[in-house]
Short mmCIF file of all heavy atoms in Angstrom, two decimals:
data_model
loop_
_atom_site.label_atom_id
_atom_site.label_comp_id
_atom_site.label_asym_id
_atom_site.label_seq_id
_atom_site.Cartn_x
_atom_site.Cartn_y
_atom_site.Cartn_z
N ASP A 324 235.86 26.10 93.25
CA ASP A 324 234.67 26.60 93.95
C ASP A 324 235.01 27.80 94.84
O ASP A 324 234.26 28.78 94.88
CB ASP A 324 234.06 25.48 94.82
CG ASP A 324 233.26 24.50 93.98
OD1 ASP A 324 233.12 24.73 92.76
OD2 ASP A 324 232.80 23.48 94.55
N ARG A 325 236.12 27.69 95.56
CA ARG A 325 236.44 28.78 96.46
C ARG A 325 236.76 30.06 95.69
O ARG A 325 236.41 31.16 96.13
CB ARG A 325 237.59 28.41 97.40
CG ARG A 325 237.14 27.77 98.70
CD ARG A 325 236.01 28.55 99.40
NE ARG A 325 236.49 29.56 100.33
CZ ARG A 325 236.83 29.30 101.58
NH1 ARG A 325 236.76 28.09 102.08
NH2 ARG A 325 237.27 30.27 102.36
N ALA A 326 237.38 29.90 94.52
CA ALA A 326 237.66 31.08 93.70
C ALA A 326 236.34 31.72 93.25
O ALA A 326 236.19 32.95 93.24
CB ALA A 326 238.52 30.70 92.50
N LEU A 327 235.38 30.88 92.91
CA LEU A 327 234.07 31.38 92.49
C LEU A 327 233.40 32.12 93.64
O LEU A 327 232.88 33.23 93.47
CB LEU A 327 233.20 30.20 92.04
CG LEU A 327 231.76 30.55 91.63
CD1 LEU A 327 231.73 31.28 90.30
CD2 LEU A 327 230.90 29.28 91.56
N ILE A 328 233.42 31.51 94.81
CA ILE A 328 232.78 32.12 95.98
C ILE A 328 233.52 33.40 96.39
O ILE A 328 232.91 34.42 96.70
CB ILE A 328 232.67 31.10 97.14
CG1 ILE A 328 231.75 29.94 96.73
CG2 ILE A 328 232.15 31.78 98.40
CD1 ILE A 328 231.79 28.73 97.65
N ASP A 329 234.85 33.34 96.38
CA ASP A 329 235.63 34.55 96.69
C ASP A 329 235.30 35.66 95.71
O ASP A 329 235.27 36.84 96.08
CB ASP A 329 237.14 34.24 96.63
CG ASP A 329 237.60 33.41 97.83
OD1 ASP A 329 236.79 33.25 98.78
OD2 ASP A 329 238.74 32.92 97.82
N GLY A 330 235.05 35.28 94.46
CA GLY A 330 234.68 36.27 93.44
C GLY A 330 233.40 36.99 93.82
O GLY A 330 233.25 38.20 93.60
N LEU A 331 232.46 36.24 94.40
CA LEU A 331 231.21 36.86 94.85
C LEU A 331 231.48 37.86 95.98
O LEU A 331 230.97 38.98 95.96
CB LEU A 331 230.24 35.77 95.31
CG LEU A 331 228.90 36.25 95.88
CD1 LEU A 331 228.13 37.08 94.85
CD2 LEU A 331 228.05 35.07 96.35
N PHE A 332 232.32 37.44 96.93
CA PHE A 332 232.64 38.35 98.03
C PHE A 332 233.37 39.60 97.52
O PHE A 332 233.18 40.70 98.06
CB PHE A 332 233.46 37.63 99.12
CG PHE A 332 232.60 36.83 100.07
CD1 PHE A 332 232.35 35.48 99.85
CD2 PHE A 332 232.00 37.44 101.16
CE1 PHE A 332 231.54 34.75 100.72
CE2 PHE A 332 231.19 36.73 102.04
CZ PHE A 332 230.96 35.37 101.81
N THR A 333 234.17 39.44 96.50
CA THR A 333 234.89 40.60 95.94
C THR A 333 233.92 41.63 95.38
O THR A 333 234.06 42.83 95.63
CB THR A 333 235.88 40.14 94.85
OG1 THR A 333 236.77 39.19 95.43
CG2 THR A 333 236.67 41.31 94.27
N ILE A 334 232.91 41.17 94.64
CA ILE A 334 231.97 42.16 94.07
C ILE A 334 231.01 42.68 95.14
O ILE A 334 230.56 43.82 95.08
CB ILE A 334 231.22 41.64 92.82
CG1 ILE A 334 230.44 40.36 93.10
CG2 ILE A 334 232.20 41.42 91.66
CD1 ILE A 334 229.55 39.92 91.93
N MET A 335 230.74 41.85 96.15
CA MET A 335 229.94 42.36 97.28
C MET A 335 230.69 43.48 97.99
O MET A 335 230.12 44.49 98.38
CB MET A 335 229.69 41.23 98.31
CG MET A 335 228.64 40.23 97.90
SD MET A 335 228.72 38.75 98.96
CE MET A 335 228.18 39.42 100.53
N GLN A 336 231.99 43.27 98.17
CA GLN A 336 232.83 44.27 98.84
C GLN A 336 232.86 45.56 98.02
O GLN A 336 232.65 46.65 98.56
CB GLN A 336 234.25 43.71 99.01
CG GLN A 336 235.28 44.70 99.53
CD GLN A 336 235.14 44.96 101.02
OE1 GLN A 336 234.67 44.09 101.76
NE2 GLN A 336 235.55 46.13 101.47
N ALA A 337 233.08 45.42 96.73
CA ALA A 337 233.19 46.60 95.87
C ALA A 337 231.91 47.42 95.91
O ALA A 337 231.95 48.66 95.90
CB ALA A 337 233.51 46.17 94.43
N GLY A 338 230.76 46.74 95.97
CA GLY A 338 229.49 47.46 95.93
C GLY A 338 228.83 47.62 97.28
O GLY A 338 227.72 48.13 97.36
N HIS A 339 229.50 47.16 98.35
CA HIS A 339 228.91 47.19 99.70
C HIS A 339 227.45 46.70 99.68
O HIS A 339 226.53 47.38 100.14
CB HIS A 339 229.00 48.60 100.31
CG HIS A 339 230.43 49.02 100.53
ND1 HIS A 339 231.32 48.26 101.27
CD2 HIS A 339 231.13 50.09 100.10
CE1 HIS A 339 232.50 48.85 101.29
NE2 HIS A 339 232.43 49.97 100.58
N VAL A 340 227.30 45.52 99.14
CA VAL A 340 225.97 44.93 98.98
C VAL A 340 225.48 44.37 100.31
O VAL A 340 226.26 43.82 101.08
CB VAL A 340 226.05 43.80 97.92
CG1 VAL A 340 224.70 43.10 97.77
CG2 VAL A 340 226.51 44.36 96.58
N ASP A 341 224.20 44.49 100.54
CA ASP A 341 223.63 43.96 101.78
C ASP A 341 223.80 42.44 101.84
O ASP A 341 223.32 41.70 100.97
CB ASP A 341 222.14 44.31 101.88
CG ASP A 341 221.56 43.90 103.23
OD1 ASP A 341 221.68 44.69 104.18
OD2 ASP A 341 221.01 42.77 103.34
N PHE A 342 224.48 41.99 102.89
CA PHE A 342 224.90 40.59 103.01
C PHE A 342 223.70 39.63 102.99
O PHE A 342 223.68 38.65 102.24
CB PHE A 342 225.66 40.45 104.34
CG PHE A 342 226.35 39.13 104.56
CD1 PHE A 342 227.69 38.96 104.23
CD2 PHE A 342 225.67 38.05 105.13
CE1 PHE A 342 228.34 37.76 104.44
CE2 PHE A 342 226.32 36.84 105.34
CZ PHE A 342 227.65 36.69 104.99
N THR A 343 222.70 39.93 103.78
CA THR A 343 221.57 39.01 103.95
C THR A 343 220.68 38.99 102.71
O THR A 343 220.30 37.92 102.23
CB THR A 343 220.77 39.41 105.20
OG1 THR A 343 221.67 39.41 106.31
CG2 THR A 343 219.63 38.44 105.47
N LEU A 344 220.38 40.17 102.17
CA LEU A 344 219.55 40.24 100.97
C LEU A 344 220.23 39.53 99.79
O LEU A 344 219.58 38.84 99.01
CB LEU A 344 219.29 41.70 100.58
CG LEU A 344 218.20 42.44 101.32
CD1 LEU A 344 218.10 43.87 100.81
CD2 LEU A 344 216.86 41.73 101.15
N LEU A 345 221.54 39.70 99.70
CA LEU A 345 222.27 39.12 98.58
C LEU A 345 222.10 37.60 98.55
O LEU A 345 221.67 37.03 97.55
CB LEU A 345 223.75 39.50 98.70
CG LEU A 345 224.78 39.03 97.67
CD1 LEU A 345 225.32 37.64 97.93
CD2 LEU A 345 224.25 39.15 96.24
N PHE A 346 222.40 36.95 99.67
CA PHE A 346 222.35 35.49 99.66
C PHE A 346 220.92 35.00 99.52
O PHE A 346 220.67 33.97 98.88
CB PHE A 346 223.03 34.91 100.90
CG PHE A 346 224.53 34.94 100.78
CD1 PHE A 346 225.29 35.87 101.48
CD2 PHE A 346 225.18 34.05 99.95
CE1 PHE A 346 226.67 35.90 101.35
CE2 PHE A 346 226.57 34.07 99.81
CZ PHE A 346 227.32 35.00 100.52
N ARG A 347 219.98 35.72 100.10
CA ARG A 347 218.59 35.29 99.97
C ARG A 347 218.13 35.39 98.52
O ARG A 347 217.50 34.49 97.98
CB ARG A 347 217.71 36.16 100.88
CG ARG A 347 216.30 35.67 101.01
CD ARG A 347 216.20 34.41 101.85
NE ARG A 347 214.82 33.95 101.93
CZ ARG A 347 214.41 32.95 102.72
NH1 ARG A 347 215.27 32.28 103.45
NH2 ARG A 347 213.15 32.58 102.74
N ARG A 348 218.48 36.49 97.87
CA ARG A 348 218.04 36.67 96.47
C ARG A 348 218.81 35.77 95.51
O ARG A 348 218.30 35.41 94.45
CB ARG A 348 218.18 38.13 96.05
CG ARG A 348 217.18 39.01 96.76
CD ARG A 348 217.12 40.40 96.18
NE ARG A 348 216.29 41.26 97.02
CZ ARG A 348 216.21 42.56 96.89
NH1 ARG A 348 216.90 43.19 95.94
NH2 ARG A 348 215.44 43.26 97.69
N LEU A 349 220.01 35.41 95.90
CA LEU A 349 220.79 34.51 95.04
C LEU A 349 220.04 33.19 94.85
O LEU A 349 220.15 32.55 93.80
CB LEU A 349 222.18 34.26 95.67
CG LEU A 349 223.21 33.53 94.82
CD1 LEU A 349 223.54 34.29 93.55
CD2 LEU A 349 224.48 33.27 95.64
N GLY A 350 219.27 32.82 95.85
CA GLY A 350 218.49 31.59 95.76
C GLY A 350 217.43 31.64 94.67
O GLY A 350 216.98 30.60 94.19
N ASP A 351 217.03 32.85 94.28
CA ASP A 351 215.99 33.00 93.25
C ASP A 351 216.55 32.92 91.83
O ASP A 351 215.78 32.90 90.87
CB ASP A 351 215.27 34.35 93.41
CG ASP A 351 214.50 34.43 94.71
OD1 ASP A 351 214.11 33.36 95.24
OD2 ASP A 351 214.31 35.55 95.23
N LEU A 352 217.87 32.93 91.72
CA LEU A 352 218.46 32.91 90.38
C LEU A 352 218.02 31.65 89.62
O LEU A 352 217.97 30.57 90.19
CB LEU A 352 219.99 32.96 90.48
CG LEU A 352 220.78 32.93 89.19
CD1 LEU A 352 221.91 33.97 89.23
CD2 LEU A 352 221.37 31.54 88.92
N GLN A 353 217.68 31.85 88.35
CA GLN A 353 217.32 30.71 87.51
C GLN A 353 218.40 30.53 86.45
O GLN A 353 218.78 31.49 85.78
CB GLN A 353 215.96 30.94 86.87
CG GLN A 353 214.86 31.07 87.94
CD GLN A 353 213.47 31.15 87.34
OE1 GLN A 353 213.22 30.67 86.23
NE2 GLN A 353 212.56 31.75 88.09
N VAL A 354 218.85 29.31 86.33
CA VAL A 354 220.02 29.05 85.50
C VAL A 354 219.83 29.53 84.06
O VAL A 354 220.72 30.14 83.49
CB VAL A 354 220.40 27.54 85.53
CG1 VAL A 354 221.53 27.25 84.55
CG2 VAL A 354 220.81 27.12 86.94
N ASP A 355 218.65 29.31 83.51
CA ASP A 355 218.45 29.64 82.10
C ASP A 355 217.56 30.86 81.89
O ASP A 355 216.91 30.99 80.85
CB ASP A 355 217.87 28.43 81.36
CG ASP A 355 218.88 27.30 81.33
OD1 ASP A 355 220.06 27.57 80.99
OD2 ASP A 355 218.51 26.16 81.68
N ALA A 356 217.48 31.74 82.88
CA ALA A 356 216.62 32.92 82.72
C ALA A 356 217.32 34.15 83.26
O ALA A 356 216.91 34.74 84.26
CB ALA A 356 215.29 32.69 83.42
N GLN A 357 218.37 34.54 82.56
CA GLN A 357 219.15 35.71 82.98
C GLN A 357 218.29 36.97 83.04
O GLN A 357 218.54 37.88 83.83
CB GLN A 357 220.30 35.90 81.97
CG GLN A 357 221.42 36.74 82.52
CD GLN A 357 222.50 36.96 81.47
OE1 GLN A 357 222.63 36.18 80.52
NE2 GLN A 357 223.27 38.02 81.64
N GLU A 358 217.23 36.99 82.20
CA GLU A 358 216.37 38.18 82.14
C GLU A 358 215.60 38.39 83.44
O GLU A 358 215.03 39.44 83.67
CB GLU A 358 215.42 38.09 80.93
CG GLU A 358 214.37 36.99 80.98
CD GLU A 358 214.89 35.59 80.59
OE1 GLU A 358 216.12 35.43 80.42
OE2 GLU A 358 214.06 34.66 80.47
N LEU A 359 215.60 37.37 84.33
CA LEU A 359 214.89 37.50 85.60
C LEU A 359 215.82 37.89 86.76
O LEU A 359 215.43 37.86 87.92
CB LEU A 359 214.16 36.19 85.95
CG LEU A 359 213.13 35.70 84.93
CD1 LEU A 359 212.48 34.40 85.40
CD2 LEU A 359 212.05 36.75 84.69
N ASP A 360 217.06 38.25 86.43
CA ASP A 360 218.06 38.54 87.47
C ASP A 360 217.85 39.87 88.21
O ASP A 360 218.48 40.09 89.25
CB ASP A 360 219.47 38.59 86.85
CG ASP A 360 220.07 37.20 86.67
OD1 ASP A 360 219.45 36.22 87.14
OD2 ASP A 360 221.15 37.10 86.06
N ALA A 361 216.99 40.73 87.68
CA ALA A 361 216.95 42.13 88.15
C ALA A 361 216.99 42.32 89.68
O ALA A 361 217.83 43.08 90.17
CB ALA A 361 215.76 42.86 87.54
N PRO A 362 216.12 41.66 90.46
CA PRO A 362 216.14 41.95 91.91
C PRO A 362 217.50 41.68 92.55
O PRO A 362 217.91 42.39 93.47
CB PRO A 362 215.08 40.99 92.47
CG PRO A 362 214.22 40.62 91.32
CD PRO A 362 215.11 40.66 90.11
N LEU A 363 218.19 40.68 92.04
CA LEU A 363 219.51 40.34 92.54
C LEU A 363 220.56 41.29 91.96
O LEU A 363 221.36 41.90 92.68
CB LEU A 363 219.82 38.88 92.14
CG LEU A 363 221.21 38.33 92.38
CD1 LEU A 363 221.52 38.29 93.86
CD2 LEU A 363 221.30 36.90 91.79
N ARG A 364 220.50 41.43 90.66
CA ARG A 364 221.48 42.23 89.93
C ARG A 364 221.45 43.70 90.38
O ARG A 364 222.49 44.35 90.48
CB ARG A 364 221.12 42.12 88.44
CG ARG A 364 222.06 42.77 87.47
CD ARG A 364 221.60 42.38 86.07
NE ARG A 364 222.51 42.90 85.06
CZ ARG A 364 222.31 44.01 84.37
NH1 ARG A 364 221.22 44.74 84.60
NH2 ARG A 364 223.18 44.39 83.47
N ASP A 365 220.26 44.18 90.69
CA ASP A 365 220.11 45.58 91.07
C ASP A 365 220.72 45.89 92.44
O ASP A 365 220.82 47.06 92.82
CB ASP A 365 218.64 46.00 91.05
CG ASP A 365 218.09 46.04 89.62
OD1 ASP A 365 218.91 45.91 88.67
OD2 ASP A 365 216.86 46.18 89.46
N LEU A 366 221.13 44.88 93.17
CA LEU A 366 221.82 45.13 94.45
C LEU A 366 223.23 45.66 94.18
O LEU A 366 223.86 46.22 95.07
CB LEU A 366 221.91 43.84 95.28
CG LEU A 366 220.61 43.26 95.85
CD1 LEU A 366 220.87 41.89 96.47
CD2 LEU A 366 220.01 44.21 96.89
N PHE A 367 223.71 45.47 92.95
CA PHE A 367 225.07 45.88 92.60
C PHE A 367 225.05 47.16 91.79
O PHE A 367 224.23 47.30 90.88
CB PHE A 367 225.76 44.78 91.76
CG PHE A 367 225.96 43.49 92.50
CD1 PHE A 367 224.94 42.55 92.57
CD2 PHE A 367 227.17 43.22 93.13
CE1 PHE A 367 225.12 41.36 93.27
CE2 PHE A 367 227.35 42.03 93.83
CZ PHE A 367 226.33 41.10 93.89
N LEU A 368 225.95 48.07 92.14
CA LEU A 368 226.08 49.28 91.31
C LEU A 368 226.75 48.92 90.00
O LEU A 368 226.38 49.38 88.94
CB LEU A 368 226.92 50.32 92.05
CG LEU A 368 226.16 51.17 93.06
CD1 LEU A 368 227.09 52.15 93.75
CD2 LEU A 368 225.00 51.90 92.37
N ASP A 369 227.75 48.05 90.11
CA ASP A 369 228.49 47.61 88.93
C ASP A 369 227.82 46.36 88.36
O ASP A 369 228.20 45.23 88.67
CB ASP A 369 229.95 47.33 89.34
CG ASP A 369 230.83 46.98 88.15
OD1 ASP A 369 230.28 46.80 87.03
OD2 ASP A 369 232.05 46.89 88.35
#
Side-chain angles (χ1 to χ4, degrees):
D324 283 355
R325 270 312 270 276
L327 177 72
I328 296 168
D329 287 350
L331 177 59
F332 278 94
T333 302
I334 58 172
M335 284 166 68
Q336 172 76 28
H339 296 305
V340 177
D341 186 85
F342 189 95
T343 304
L344 279 180
L345 180 276
F346 283 104
R347 190 72 181 187
R348 290 191 189 170
L349 189 61
D351 295 334
L352 179 136
Q353 298 186 25
V354 174
D355 294 313
Q357 200 183 337
E358 67 280 8
L359 301 180
D360 279 353
L363 172 64
R364 185 173 184 262
D365 291 351
L366 292 172
F367 296 84
L368 277 179
D369 185 351

